[in-house]
């Protein structure tokens, strides 16, 4: 009996754990998915093996014995450890791999083109060094990411839907302008490391944005020692910039700073031909020609320090500041016609000066609980953001036909101040193949807007306050959220289930200059809460093939400018006015995806469906008011809630790299939506069907000159009132490296080579029809010079934490 009791011990050999970490020898950052194999010294067969995780760590079990070890990573030299004997748990420590000398060129090319990684809840595009956006902005870089489009006027959309939430390193930020997308036309594109396109967000992300989330991950240097880069740009129209990134990293701390200065001119133009059917007007047609001359100087400062308390915890403090000094001059020439004969012509010149400043202070704490599994951690963030903006505008309109005379003189003053506080904590607990997460986020902001308009009385010559548009608007948005999610993997099947609860308060107080002029109170206090479930499923058909299915519920909260009931004026006769009765919209979205990888080709595809209730739509209408000076109809653009909107579509992406000298990227997206709803007795439902495609190629020419071409095409669109013609454009770039270690790079790029990015539209409203053409920015040519010290140009696809990193430099 005693012998039988010991048979299980005798029959099974004891196993020991072999661990270690694999890093890039030249860059000192972890290599994920490096393979580790233990082979029999007798016949060379693989006894056991594994791959490294995001931190470069691996762990395999081996019986007592002697083996040959091989550690491999694509394009790197194989590390061999011969006749390795294991008789106890052993840690190999840090294993450094060096890039193959004969394949350095290929590794460099990998960094030049967009790569895609598919996870349960997102697609991660490592943008690399996109030549066509060198010296450009974040908007330029986003315009090259599949599924994302950047409109003529800089509006960012995901799958053709502009209700998209944009985050910086997983958090709302003053860096992102609190939702104002104009800021992305000021920040340099080189700051981006990767872009996460999250069409089926998990519960850890904000429920904001019915289209999904675009999360911009900014670069953060991980190389030990002192390193950095200096970059300069020069372009036509004027695009002057100087940037310096510095980073000092030791075993105990990491200090980083980024400084940037830009001086840009962005000319544009527009044309409007409007015919009126109102017999009360003195004319029945207006042709308006606009010339935009926008100039801006911007300063960006980002500095911080990360202190490694021990191997398991760290704290990071950072400051970001952005200062802007812009001056815009817009010239409008209006010609009025009666029965085809030009009756009068006026020239309106608007001179606007804008000063804005944004500051963001952040503290991040990270605590890891397990040395072997570094994903077991707690992170906590505190962030304070502040922005101040002042706009002064002088509008001078003169008649030049049939005689010279002053038509209108207007002095505008707009002020905006916003303070925002963010408190966030996230806990992650891996449990084998399973993982549990829970977290809290509080996002609280207070915003005040002032609008003062003074018009010149043509009879007295005095400036008089316009009591119908001058006002103060105070707006508060308070969001408190908690979430939990759980994921697991069973053989080839993985799932991630989450539930998020968000409580929102939107509170607005409007103070007209003369309240007696209005017969209603514009104040509002909206409180609403809701659960937002998420489901993400993956089934692996093979090692390089899978199917994904996602469901999530989303919300689109109206921004402050959509709720402010007093108009902002782009002209005397065209105004945008918010709607304090606007309610949030909610959407349920489904996404079915397929991924297949071959040796030289990667295919991603999906079909999706979304139903949104109380969807937003902007409609144009006659206000019933006329200008006092010349009896012109005043039209306003106002946001409304539709009853519903259904949207469905399909997208396809192909990465094809047939040779070392040619890499291509093709994406196509088709969508269709149908909306229903009415406003003030007018039906605004519509059906819209459109598509867009993008193609890019990167070619290595003789003498290692790189040539990149990006082509974009968007099909026609239709909404409740407007038809939009298709748009096509091409970007072109060349780049060459110099010096011994390729530390100096000179590039030349042309954005919109044929000057064709124009939006042509036809609008039908109740009392008028309009043909228009709008070009936000003309063709841009830019030269860029980059010098790196103690850095190598080659840059692998580093994969850090999903969204808990703070804003980093370099």
């Amino acid at each position: 009996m005693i012998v039988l009791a010991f048979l299980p011990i005798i029959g099974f050999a004891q196993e020991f754990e072999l661990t270690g970490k694999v890093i890039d020898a030249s860059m000192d950052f972890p290599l994920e998915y490096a393979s580790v194999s233990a082979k029999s010294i007798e016949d060379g067969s693989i006894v056991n093996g594994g791959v490294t995780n995001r931190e470069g760590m691996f762990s395999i079990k081996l019986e007592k014995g002697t083996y040959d070890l091989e550690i491999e990573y694509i394009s790197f030299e194989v590390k061999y450890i011969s006749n390795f004997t294991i008789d106890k748990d052993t840690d190999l420590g840090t294993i450094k791999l060096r890039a193959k000398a004969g394949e350095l060129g290929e590794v460099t090319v990998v960094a030049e083109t967009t790569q895609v990684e598919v996870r349960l809840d997102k697609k991660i595009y490592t943008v690399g060094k996109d030549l066509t956006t060198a010296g450009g902005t974040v908007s330029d870089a986003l315009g090259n990411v599949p599924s994302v489009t950047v409109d003529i006027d800089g509006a960012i959309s995901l799958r053709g839907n502009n209700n998209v939430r944009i985050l910086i390193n997983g958090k709302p930020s003053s860096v992102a302008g609190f939702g104002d997308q104009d800021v992305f036309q000021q920040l340099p594109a080189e700051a981006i490391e990767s872009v996460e396109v999250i069409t089926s967000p998990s519960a850890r992300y904000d429920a904001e944005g019915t289209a999904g989330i675009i999360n911009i991950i900014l670069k953060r240097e991980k190389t030990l020692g002192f390193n950095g880069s200096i970059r300069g740009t020069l372009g036509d129209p004027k695009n002057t910039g100087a940037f310096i990134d510095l980073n000092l990293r030791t075993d105990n701390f990491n200090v980083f700073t980024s400084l940037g200065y830009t001086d840009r001119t962005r000319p544009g133009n527009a044309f409007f031909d409007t015919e009126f059917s109102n017999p009360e007007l003195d004319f029945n047609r207006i042709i308006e020609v606009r010339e935009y001359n926008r100039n801006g100087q911007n300063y960006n400062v980002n500095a911080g320090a990360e202190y490694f308390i021990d191997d398991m915890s760290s704290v990071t403090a950072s400051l970001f500041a952005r200062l802007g000094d812009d001056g815009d001059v817009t010239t409008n020439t209006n010609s009025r016609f009666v029965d085809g004969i030009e009756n009068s012509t006026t020239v309106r010149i608007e001179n606007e000066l804008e000063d804005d400043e944004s500051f963001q202070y952040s503290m991040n704490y990270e605590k890891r609980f397990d040395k072997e599994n570094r994903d077991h951690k707690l992170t906590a963030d505190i962030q304070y953001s502040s922005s101040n903006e002042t706009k002064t505008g002088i509008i001078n309109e003169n008649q030049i036909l049939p005689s010279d005379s002053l038509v209108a003189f207007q002095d505008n003053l707009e002020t905006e101040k916003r303070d925002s506080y963010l408190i966030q904590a996230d806990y992650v607990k891996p449990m084998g193949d399973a993982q549990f997460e829970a977290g809290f986020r509080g996002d609280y902001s207070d915003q005040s807007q002032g609008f003062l308009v003074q018009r010149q009385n043509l009879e007295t010559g005095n400036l008089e306050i316009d009591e119908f548009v001058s006002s103060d608007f105070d707006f508060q948005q308070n969001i408190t959220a908690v979430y939990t999610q759980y994921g697991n993997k069973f053989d080839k099947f993985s799932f991630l289930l989450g539930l998020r609860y968000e409580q929102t308060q939107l509170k607005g107080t409007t103070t007209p200059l003369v309240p007696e002029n209005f017969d209603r109170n514009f104040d509002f206090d909206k409180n609403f809460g809701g659960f937002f479930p998420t489901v993400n499923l993956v089934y692996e058909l093979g090692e390089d093939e899978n199917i994904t299915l996602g469901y999530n519920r989303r919300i689109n909260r109206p921004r402050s400018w959509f709720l402010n009931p007093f108009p902002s004026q782009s002209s005397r006769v065209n105004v945008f006015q918010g709607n304090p009765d606007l309610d949030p919209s909610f959407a349920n979205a489904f996404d079915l995806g397929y991924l297949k990888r071959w040796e030289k080709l990667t295919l991603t595809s999906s079909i999706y469906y979304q139903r949104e209730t109380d969807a937003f739509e902007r409609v144009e209408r006659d206000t019933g008011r006329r200008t006092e000076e010349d009896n012109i109809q005043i039209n306003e653009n106002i946001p409304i809630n539709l009853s519903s909107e259904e949207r469905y579509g399909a997208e396809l992406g192909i990465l094809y790299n047939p040779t070392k000298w040619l890499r291509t990227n093709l994406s196509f997206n088709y969508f269709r939506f149908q909306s229903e709803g009415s406003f003030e007795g007018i039906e605004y439902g519509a059906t819209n069907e459109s598509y867009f495609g993008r193609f890019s190629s990167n070619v290595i020419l003789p003498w290692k000159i790189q040539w990149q071409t990006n082509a974009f095409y968007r099909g026609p669109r239709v909404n409740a009132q407007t038809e939009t013609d298709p748009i096509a454009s091409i970007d072109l770039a060349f780049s060459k490296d110099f010096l011994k270690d390729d530390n100096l790079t000179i590039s030349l790029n042309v954005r919109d080579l044929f000057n064709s990015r124009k939006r042509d539209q036809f609008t039908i409203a109740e009392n008028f029809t309009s043909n228009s053409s709008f070009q936000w920015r003309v063709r841009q040519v830019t030269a860029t010079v980059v010098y790196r010290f103690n850095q190598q140009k080659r840059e692998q696809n580093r994969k850090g934490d999903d969204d808990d990193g703070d804003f980093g430099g370099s």
Side-chain angles (χ1 to χ4, degrees):
M1 294 294 294
I2 295 176
V3 174
L4 291 175
F6 280 93
L7 278 177
I9 300 176
I10 298 173
F12 294 92
Q14 185 175 2
E15 289 187 333
F16 300 101
E17 185 177 27
L18 179 67
T19 59
K21 181 177 182 179
V22 182
I23 68 171
D24 180 341
S26 62
M27 300 291 284
D28 281 333
F29 60 76
L31 296 177
E32 185 181 2
Y33 296 120
S35 64
V36 181
S37 303
K39 296 185 177 182
S40 168
I41 60 174
E42 297 177 358
D43 59 8
S45 61
I46 296 177
V47 178
N48 198 3
V51 296
T52 56
N53 61 15
R54 297 182 197 171
E55 306 297 329
M57 308 294 292
F58 68 86
S59 174
I60 61 175
K61 298 287 188 179
L62 292 173
E63 296 179 0
K64 180 179 179 180
T66 303
Y67 305 88
D68 289 333
L69 304 181
E70 292 185 8
I71 300 94
E72 299 179 88
Y73 191 76
I74 185 171
S75 301
F76 281 69
E77 295 178 351
V78 180
K79 178 74 172 181
Y80 297 97
I81 303 177
S82 301
N83 297 319
F84 175 79
T85 299
I86 185 169
D87 55 8
K88 60 181 179 179
D89 291 345
T90 303
D91 184 2
L92 292 177
T94 299
I95 301 168
K96 297 183 178 182
L97 300 186
R98 298 187 181 279
K100 294 180 181 179
E103 295 185 12
L104 282 175
E106 180 177 0
V107 177
T108 299
V109 174
V110 170
E112 305 302 335
T113 57
T114 298
Q115 303 294 304
V116 61
E117 176 192 356
V118 177
R119 295 190 185 173
L120 269 170
D121 58 345
K122 72 184 81 172
K123 292 186 180 73
I124 303 174
Y125 295 94
T126 303
V127 177
K129 190 175 74 67
D130 192 325
L131 303 182
T132 61
T133 62
T137 66
V138 169
S139 287
D140 297 330
L142 290 177
N144 289 342
V145 174
S147 303
V148 180
T149 55
V150 180
D151 206 346
I152 296 297
D153 50 4
I156 300 168
S157 299
L158 180 59
R159 290 174 168 176
N161 188 345
N162 58 11
N163 294 329
V164 59
R165 176 69 155 163
I166 300 179
L167 304 176
I168 301 291
N169 291 339
K171 304 177 185 69
S173 172
S174 64
V175 179
F178 296 117
D180 181 2
Q181 297 180 355
D182 288 345
V183 71
F184 296 118
Q185 300 177 44
Q186 302 167 1
L187 296 176
E190 285 84 357
I192 298 177
E193 178 170 295
S194 62
V195 176
E196 297 179 349
V197 176
I198 311 172
T199 52
S200 185
S202 66
R204 73 154 40 189
Y205 294 102
D206 289 341
E208 175 74 33
T210 55
I213 293 172
I214 297 174
N215 186 24
I216 300 172
I217 305 298
L218 300 174
K219 289 180 180 178
R220 189 170 189 171
E221 184 58 56
K222 298 183 179 181
T223 304
L224 288 174
F226 180 67
N227 56 81
S229 65
I230 301 173
R231 184 174 68 257
T233 63
L234 187 64
D236 181 43
K238 183 171 65 175
N239 182 13
T240 304
F243 311 88
I244 182 169
D245 298 326
L246 301 174
N247 199 92
L248 175 62
R249 187 181 181 95
T250 69
D251 292 333
N252 296 323
F253 62 86
N254 182 30
V255 179
F256 52 86
T257 183
S258 298
L259 307 174
Y261 167 76
T262 59
D263 186 0
R264 294 191 176 102
T265 297
R266 294 175 295 167
N269 57 82
F271 172 83
F272 302 86
D273 186 353
T274 306
E275 296 188 12
F276 300 92
S277 58
N278 190 339
E280 298 179 1
L281 298 179
D282 297 335
F283 46 85
N284 50 31
R285 184 184 183 188
I286 292 180
I287 295 179
E288 179 179 358
V289 178
R290 295 185 189 176
E291 295 291 337
Y292 303 97
N293 187 13
R294 295 179 296 270
N295 297 275
Q297 294 180 329
N298 287 273
Y299 302 84
N300 297 296
V301 179
N302 174 56
E306 180 179 12
Y307 175 68
F308 304 101
I309 302 173
D310 51 40
D311 291 341
M312 306 297 289
S313 59
S314 67
V315 61
T316 304
S318 64
L319 161 69
F320 177 84
R322 180 173 62 86
L323 306 177
D325 184 5
D326 299 334
D328 301 342
V329 178
T330 303
T331 303
N332 291 2
T333 302
N334 286 269
S335 299
R336 300 168 184 82
F337 295 82
V338 177
D339 298 329
I341 300 175
E342 186 174 359
N343 178 266
S344 64
T345 298
T346 60
V347 176
R348 179 180 185 269
I349 299 177
E350 180 178 357
N351 195 333
E352 182 179 86
L353 300 177
E354 178 180 346
D355 292 320
D356 66 274
E357 56 184 30
S358 297
F359 297 93
Q360 177 177 298
Y361 309 89
S362 302
M363 289 287 293
N364 167 264
Y365 172 76
E366 181 177 292
K367 171 65 177 178
R368 299 183 186 272
F369 299 96
D370 192 335
K371 288 187 177 181
E372 295 183 359
N373 192 336
R374 296 176 65 84
D375 287 334
H376 184 196
K377 61 187 176 182
L378 170 70
T379 58
D381 295 270
I382 300 176
Q383 179 177 289
Y384 167 70
S385 301
S386 175
S387 68
N388 287 278
E389 183 178 290
T390 301
K391 292 182 182 180
T392 58
I394 300 296
I395 300 175
N396 196 339
E397 187 165 352
N398 290 276
Q399 180 177 274
I400 60 174
L401 183 75
S403 60
D404 294 339
S405 62
L406 176 65
V407 175
F409 181 87
Q410 182 173 317
D411 188 349
N412 296 341
L413 173 64
E414 294 183 62
T415 59
E416 181 177 329
K417 176 178 173 58
R418 175 163 177 167
D419 295 296
S420 179
Y421 301 87
L422 175 70
I423 304 172
Q424 178 176 334
D426 297 280
Y427 174 73
V428 181
K429 171 66 173 176
M431 297 174 290
D433 289 332
Q435 182 164 294
F436 168 80
E437 293 186 46
F440 164 86
R441 175 179 286 183
D443 191 356
Y444 312 109
S445 63
D446 192 350
Q447 180 178 357
S448 60
Q449 295 173 306
F451 190 39
L452 176 66
V453 176
Q454 299 182 83
R455 304 183 192 277
Q456 183 174 356
N457 187 312
L458 298 183
E459 295 182 358
T460 65
N462 298 325
L463 286 177
E464 298 177 354
I465 295 177
D466 189 331
E467 301 173 350
F468 288 92
V469 296
S470 300
S471 66
D472 291 318
F473 179 61
D474 293 319
F475 176 70
Q476 295 180 12
Q477 177 176 274
N478 301 312
I479 304 171
T480 303
V482 292
Y483 80 92
T484 184
Q485 63 183 20
Y486 175 78
N488 207 342
K489 181 177 182 180
F490 300 99
D491 193 20
K492 297 182 179 181
F493 176 73
S494 304
F495 67 86
L496 182 62
L497 308 178
L499 184 64
R500 186 180 187 92
Y501 178 82
E502 293 190 351
Q503 177 66 38
T504 302
Q505 180 189 42
L506 302 179
K507 185 176 182 180
T509 302
T510 303
T511 306
L513 189 64
V514 183
E516 296 79 16
N517 291 335
F518 303 93
D519 57 1
R520 62 162 291 186
N521 185 354
F522 297 103
D523 297 348
F524 59 86
D525 190 351
K526 303 174 185 286
N527 291 271
F528 46 89
F531 288 95
F532 300 91
T534 62
V535 179
N536 289 288
L537 312 174
V538 175
Y539 182 75
E540 298 176 4
L541 299 174
E543 184 178 353
D544 297 312
E545 185 178 19
N546 63 52
I547 296 175
T548 60
L549 177 63
Y551 161 77
N552 62 96
R553 184 172 186 254
R554 310 291 296 165
I555 184 175
N556 188 24
R557 302 179 183 90
R559 303 292 184 185
S560 61
W561 56 86
F562 266 32
L563 294 169
N564 189 344
F566 281 77
S568 61
Q569 296 183 306
S570 59
S571 73
R572 292 188 300 126
V573 296
N574 292 290
V575 300
F576 173 81
Q577 183 166 325
N579 179 6
D581 296 324
L582 198 66
D583 292 322
S585 63
F586 295 87
N588 291 281
F590 300 85
D591 190 293
L592 178 64
Y594 172 75
L595 168 71
K596 173 66 175 177
R597 288 190 177 96
W598 291 271
E599 181 180 358
K600 297 181 179 181
L601 187 146
T602 300
L603 170 70
T604 60
S605 61
S606 66
I607 57 176
Y608 52 90
Y609 170 80
Q610 180 186 95
R611 177 175 175 81
E612 184 174 354
T613 57
D614 290 327
F616 299 165
E617 178 68 275
R618 289 172 60 164
V619 299
E620 195 167 356
R621 66 177 182 176
D622 181 359
T623 62
R625 295 183 287 115
R626 304 293 182 264
T627 59
E628 296 181 2
E629 300 88 352
D630 42 13
N631 193 37
I632 300 177
Q633 174 178 310
I634 300 176
N635 298 321
E636 70 176 359
N637 192 293
I638 184 172
I640 64 170
N641 287 117
L642 296 177
S643 59
S644 67
E645 178 181 284
E646 289 187 313
R647 180 184 294 264
Y648 55 89
E651 63 180 356
L652 174 71
I654 297 175
L655 291 171
Y656 180 51
N657 306 320
T659 68
K660 293 182 180 181
W661 57 267
L662 175 62
R663 294 179 178 269
T664 63
N665 184 350
L666 173 69
S667 63
F668 178 81
N669 194 301
Y670 163 84
F671 60 88
R672 176 185 175 91
F673 72 81
Q674 183 172 349
S675 59
E676 297 179 354
S678 61
F679 181 68
E680 296 181 344
I682 301 175
E683 290 291 333
Y684 288 103
T687 299
N688 183 8
E689 182 178 52
S690 189
Y691 55 89
F692 62 88
R694 182 181 288 110
F695 173 79
S696 67
S697 66
N698 191 290
V699 179
I700 307 299
L701 300 172
W703 302 289
K704 294 184 179 180
I705 297 174
Q706 297 188 49
W707 167 25
Q708 183 173 326
T709 303
N710 290 347
F712 174 79
Y713 179 83
R714 188 178 67 193
R717 295 179 299 166
V718 178
N719 65 15
Q721 293 178 301
T722 302
E723 298 178 3
T724 303
D725 290 345
I727 296 174
S729 66
I730 291 179
D731 302 330
L732 198 64
F734 296 90
S735 176
K736 177 75 173 74
D737 296 324
F738 298 90
L739 302 184
K740 180 180 177 180
D741 297 320
D742 291 343
N743 285 338
L744 179 68
T745 302
I746 299 177
S747 62
L748 177 70
N749 68 63
V750 184
R751 299 280 296 176
D752 194 8
L753 178 64
F754 299 108
N755 206 34
S756 57
R757 283 188 65 83
K758 299 180 181 181
R759 182 176 61 206
D760 295 326
Q761 294 182 319
F762 178 67
T763 300
I764 300 178
E766 183 179 13
N767 295 323
F768 64 90
T769 61
S770 177
N771 279 291
S772 65
S773 179
F774 179 64
Q775 184 175 24
W776 176 254
R777 186 177 65 181
V778 300
R779 175 176 49 236
Q780 176 76 55
V781 181
T782 303
T784 302
V785 178
V786 181
Y787 175 73
R788 294 167 289 272
F789 54 93
N790 297 334
Q791 288 184 350
Q792 293 192 21
K793 180 188 174 186
R794 176 175 50 80
E795 186 172 332
Q796 291 294 323
N797 293 347
R798 301 199 297 270
K799 302 173 181 69
D801 298 328
D802 287 351
D803 67 349
D804 53 357
D806 217 13
F807 185 92
S810 189

